[in-house]
Amino acid sequence: MVSRSSSRMFQLLQGHNQPAGQRNHRTRLVTKDGHCNIEFGNIEYSNQFAYLVDFWTTFVEIRWRFVLLLFVAVFTGSWFIFSLLWYWIAKSNGDMAGQNRTEGHIQCIDNVNGLTTAFLYSLETQTTIGYGGRALTGHCAGTVALIVIQSLVGVFINCFMCGIILAKISLPKKRAKTVTFSHTAVICLKKGSLCLLIRVANLRKTLLIGSQIYGKLLRTTTTADGETIILDQVDIDFMVDAGKDNLFFVCPLTLYHVINRSSPFFDLSADTLPQQDFELVVFLDGTAESTSSSCQVRTSYIPQEIQWGYSFLPIISRTKTGKYHVDFSNFSKSVRVTTPHCVHCFEADVDQRNHNNHSQENHNNQLKRGIDNPGFQVIDIHDSVDVTTM
């Protein structure tokens, strides 16, 4: 009985600890391609109505299949509605074939003999085709007013639908598709500090002007009052060798975050990193040089996607013709390098080396100055003058 309970407890602990990476994968807020994995529930009807009030943004953000369906439905619907009006005018005036026409009857519309021909006339009018088989006679004021209204409605529909299609084609997030991050992040030594490194590349030759890179660490924390905060956000500063603002983003860049005492990664080690439960979201904001539109690129890393003790392979070289060559086959590849086991170990080693260097420097200075001997007595010696008497 005891062994069965122990086995059951072991399975529970194993099931609780082992799938941490899978649990993080399921609860990832930002996907690798930048989409936010979040849904809204229990929204009031008034808030849902706000989507219709801001109809332009709603239509621009909906999927292409719904835009195409809206395109067909709006044009076909307008043609059909106006065809009913043309049919009603023609029938009311007795212009239909088979109707009893009096002598001297004045037609409003020629060759509209049914609903089908009325629909064709509506389509020809709104699309300005004008085959010449069906036309207004100009003897009825109602037909003149209706053709003016339909022409104006057709212009508005054309402008609206063309505007939506153009706006969707030129969305800034399409420009973000040509900016890519490395699949994994690495932790290694850089310039004498333990750093977290991420690589980013612009796949187009046109630049992103005023690029800024920053990060957010998302994790569940518990305050001193016992309150649990889900998706607590902590700022993560990323830099490159030339700074962190207004980057010259013409070639792939390696971003690094210095892990020091002010970093939220300070207490991590090579052993405890895979068991952590957090998500590192990295943002890149910039303005496209060709379209002057602002765009944002996002990606995220979970602990299982951060390699401790690895460094990225070099990807930039120079050809014989003087051009710079970027090898994207090594963009996300890394190689194992010598790295401290934890930040505390690294700082302890640095402090020890600094202490040894300081002691050695003091020792050398003392050798240069000499060592005072308190037991040595100083005696004043007066120079004597030899006098020779002749």
Side-chain angles (χ1 to χ4, degrees):
M1 184 66 183
V2 175
S3 65
R4 181 178 300 177
S5 301
S6 301
S7 177
R8 180 59 178 172
M9 182 63 68
F10 175 76
Q11 292 177 0
L12 290 175
L13 293 176
Q14 187 179 14
H16 178 73
N17 295 328
Q18 185 175 357
Q22 298 178 1
R23 183 172 61 254
N24 290 335
H25 179 74
R26 289 195 303 267
T27 58
R28 186 195 293 266
L29 178 64
V30 179
T31 60
K32 299 297 289 185
D33 56 356
H35 291 88
C36 295
N37 184 23
I38 190 170
E39 62 180 11
F40 300 100
N42 299 327
I43 300 178
E44 297 181 357
Y45 177 77
S46 58
N47 295 330
Q48 293 181 348
F49 184 72
Y51 290 101
L52 297 179
V53 175
D54 187 17
F55 64 91
W56 175 257
T57 305
T58 302
F59 290 147
V60 170
E61 291 182 349
I62 60 177
R63 298 181 180 273
W64 272 106
R65 54 178 174 266
F66 297 112
V67 172
L68 297 178
L69 180 62
L70 179 66
F71 183 89
V72 174
V74 168
F75 278 102
T76 306
S78 63
W79 298 336
F80 181 73
I81 291 174
F82 280 102
S83 68
L84 295 178
L85 297 177
W86 292 119
Y87 177 79
W88 174 73
I89 290 176
K91 187 174 182 179
S92 300
N93 193 53
D95 297 337
M96 297 287 182
Q99 287 184 323
N100 296 326
R101 299 177 181 177
T102 60
E103 186 177 354
H105 174 75
I106 299 177
Q107 288 187 334
C108 294
I109 310 173
D110 288 335
N111 296 327
V112 174
N113 299 319
L115 185 58
T116 302
T117 54
F119 179 80
L120 292 176
Y121 178 70
S122 176
L123 187 151
E124 295 166 5
T125 300
Q126 191 166 327
T127 56
T128 65
I129 293 177
Y131 290 118
R134 285 168 288 274
L136 298 182
T137 60
H139 299 294
C140 302
T143 56
V144 176
L146 185 59
I147 196 172
V148 171
I149 295 173
Q150 185 173 4
S151 300
L152 293 177
V153 170
V155 170
F156 285 126
I157 293 176
N158 288 333
C159 293
F160 182 77
M161 296 307 304
C162 292
I164 289 179
I165 294 176
L166 180 61
K168 286 187 67 66
I169 293 176
S170 60
L171 280 177
K173 64 181 182 180
K174 302 301 181 183
R175 177 63 177 88
K177 298 295 184 181
T178 56
V179 178
T180 181
F181 287 90
S182 57
H183 297 299
T184 59
V186 297
I187 295 179
C188 62
L189 291 176
K190 181 178 179 62
K191 293 185 176 181
S193 299
L194 195 63
C195 300
L196 184 144
L197 279 66
I198 295 173
R199 184 171 276 175
V200 60
N202 179 18
L203 302 181
R204 288 187 178 274
K205 293 184 178 180
T206 56
L207 301 181
L208 285 177
I209 305 173
S211 299
Q212 296 181 351
I213 299 176
Y214 56 96
K216 296 288 184 181
L217 183 66
L218 308 180
R219 58 186 179 182
T220 301
T221 59
T222 303
T223 61
D225 300 333
E227 180 184 1
T228 301
I229 302 177
I230 301 177
L231 295 181
D232 185 25
Q233 301 184 15
V234 180
D235 292 333
I236 303 294
D237 293 329
F238 282 97
M239 298 181 294
V240 295
D241 294 335
K244 64 178 182 178
D245 296 329
N246 300 324
L247 305 177
F248 185 43
F249 200 12
V250 68
C251 61
L253 300 176
T254 300
L255 319 175
Y256 65 91
H257 165 73
V258 179
I259 304 178
N260 49 25
R261 294 185 180 274
S262 61
S263 172
F265 303 115
F266 181 74
D267 295 328
L268 295 181
S269 65
D271 296 332
T272 61
L273 176 61
Q275 285 77 35
Q276 298 299 314
D277 188 5
F278 65 81
E279 180 179 354
L280 175 60
V281 183
V282 184
F283 303 86
L284 188 146
D285 298 339
T287 302
E289 184 181 27
S290 55
T291 60
S292 299
S293 58
S294 300
C295 64
Q296 183 183 84
V297 191
R298 299 180 296 268
T299 191
S300 68
Y301 299 91
I302 57 177
Q304 290 71 29
E305 296 171 345
I306 301 177
Q307 298 176 322
W308 191 294
Y310 286 81
S311 179
F312 289 118
L313 292 175
I315 60 175
I316 300 178
S317 61
R318 196 168 183 176
T319 61
K320 296 181 180 180
T321 59
K323 293 184 179 181
Y324 292 94
H325 176 71
V326 180
D327 185 11
F328 279 98
S329 62
N330 294 332
F331 180 72
S332 295
K333 293 182 179 180
S334 57
V335 61
R336 184 178 291 275
V337 294
T338 303
T339 307
H341 182 266
C342 62
V343 187
H344 299 279
C345 304
F346 173 71
E347 290 192 347
D349 293 340
V350 172
D351 293 340
Q352 184 65 30
R353 288 195 299 267
N354 292 336
H355 177 72
N356 294 336
N357 293 335
H358 183 69
S359 300
Q360 184 66 28
E361 183 179 358
N362 291 337
H363 179 68
N364 294 335
N365 292 334
Q366 289 176 357
L367 291 177
K368 292 179 182 178
R369 294 193 301 267
I371 302 177
D372 295 335
N373 187 359
F376 183 80
Q377 296 180 358
V378 179
I379 301 175
D380 293 335
I381 301 176
H382 301 281
D383 294 338
S384 61
V385 179
D386 295 336
V387 180
T388 304
T389 305
M390 297 300 293

